[in-house]
């Protein structure tokens, strides 16, 4: 195949790949209920001198009612940005989220449909991993609290009507823990397992 033919084939393949995804500017504040809302927080508030970058691969099991889905995620944090990439179990790219502290860019597969709101997943990741006091600074109409339990760590997110979200961690260090998130009002259960 000559050089011109190869270029044409490469351009066709590239156009097919880009036709399967869409670029979306997402909201950085997401409503959790009618009253509670969480606004994404910059990554610089989470990183320490010992951990200037965090890379975490996870298996995420998401259940809503009778529907269950599984995906792999790669979470990357550095002082400038938070990146969350989602892959189907067979490795197909589903979405990429990039939050730079001001804007949230999302590129997602058309297979996810317009109902998939990627900003919710990033907000839940911050609620899980960010320190409680940091989450509360960016939470309006609700409060995240640590509660006693027989696990490594337990938290609950409350609003004026009661519990919105329950978080249980298998380890006191959230970055090392298997995390379960229950949102009873929406019949949602999320299990996040780190992969080493």
């Amino acid at each position: 195949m000559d050089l011109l033919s190869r270029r044409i084939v490469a351009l066709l393949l590239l156009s097919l790949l880009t036709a399967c995804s869409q670029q979306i500017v997402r909201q950085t504040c997401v409503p959790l209920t009618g009253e509670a809302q969480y606004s994404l927080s910059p990554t610089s508030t989470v990183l320490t001198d010992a951990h200037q970058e965090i890379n975490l691969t996870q298996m995420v099991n998401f259940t809503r009612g009778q529907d269950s889905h599984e995906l792999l995620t790669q979470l990357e944090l550095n002082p400038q940005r938070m990146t969350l990439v989602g892959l189907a179990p067979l490795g197909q790219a589903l979405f990429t989220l990039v939050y730079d502290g001001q804007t949230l860019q999302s590129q997602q597969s058309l297979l996810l449909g317009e109902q998939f709101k990627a900003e919710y997943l990033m907000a839940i990741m911050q609620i899980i991993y960010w320190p409680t006091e940091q989450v509360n600074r960016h939470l309006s109409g609700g409060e995240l609290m640590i509660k006693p339990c027989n696990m490594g760590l337990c938290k609950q997110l409350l609003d004026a009507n009661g519990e919105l979200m329950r978080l249980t961690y298998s380890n006191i260090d959230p970055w090392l823990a298997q995390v379960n998130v229950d949102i009873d009002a929406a019949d949602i259960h999320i299990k996040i397992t780190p992969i080493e």
Side-chain angles (χ1 to χ4, degrees):
M1 186 182 287
D2 68 350
L3 183 61
L4 180 60
S5 298
R6 279 190 229 149
R7 286 185 180 171
I8 291 172
V9 169
L11 285 173
L12 285 171
L13 287 173
L14 183 60
S15 66
L16 284 172
L17 286 174
T18 56
C20 295
S21 66
Q22 57 186 341
Q23 183 79 22
I24 303 167
V25 176
R26 297 286 188 177
Q27 298 298 316
T28 58
C29 293
V30 296
L32 301 173
T33 65
E35 294 181 25
Q37 177 173 295
Y38 180 74
S39 297
L40 294 176
S41 168
T43 59
S44 58
T45 59
V46 183
L47 299 172
T48 64
D49 291 337
H51 295 95
Q52 282 298 304
E53 290 190 6
I54 294 173
N55 292 301
L56 186 62
T57 303
Q58 306 154 300
M59 177 62 71
V60 178
N61 296 78
F62 176 86
T63 305
R64 182 170 189 203
Q66 300 299 316
D67 294 332
S68 185
H69 304 280
E70 188 174 79
L71 62 119
L72 286 170
T73 61
Q74 178 69 33
L75 177 63
E76 297 177 6
L77 303 174
N78 65 43
Q80 291 78 37
R81 71 183 50 87
M82 176 180 186
T83 303
L84 181 63
V85 177
L87 302 170
L90 296 177
Q92 180 184 15
L94 296 175
F95 61 85
T96 300
L97 297 167
V98 179
Y99 178 59
D100 64 6
Q102 301 294 319
T103 59
L104 177 60
Q105 297 289 326
S106 170
Q107 185 167 352
Q108 72 181 45
S109 168
L110 294 174
L111 296 173
L112 292 173
E114 293 184 19
Q115 297 300 315
F116 180 75
K117 305 290 186 197
E119 62 267 35
Y120 280 91
L121 184 57
M122 185 168 272
I124 287 172
M125 290 292 188
Q126 286 197 0
I127 291 169
I128 289 170
Y129 295 112
W130 269 223
T132 304
E133 61 278 0
Q134 181 65 29
V135 170
N136 283 327
R137 280 196 282 273
H138 293 268
L139 186 63
S140 60
E143 182 181 8
L144 184 64
M145 301 168 54
I146 295 174
K147 66 178 198 173
C149 67
N150 59 358
M151 299 287 290
L153 177 66
C154 294
K155 297 181 182 182
Q156 62 183 359
L157 180 61
L158 303 166
D159 73 356
N161 298 317
E163 186 177 75
L164 296 175
M165 189 182 300
R166 239 179 0 271
L167 301 99
T168 56
Y169 302 76
S170 64
N171 191 307
I172 190 77
D173 182 347
W175 300 103
L176 302 175
Q178 175 179 299
V179 183
N180 287 287
V181 179
D182 290 291
I183 308 168
D184 292 337
D187 197 17
I188 291 175
H189 175 76
I190 303 169
K191 181 171 81 172
I192 301 172
T193 307
I195 298 173
E196 297 184 25

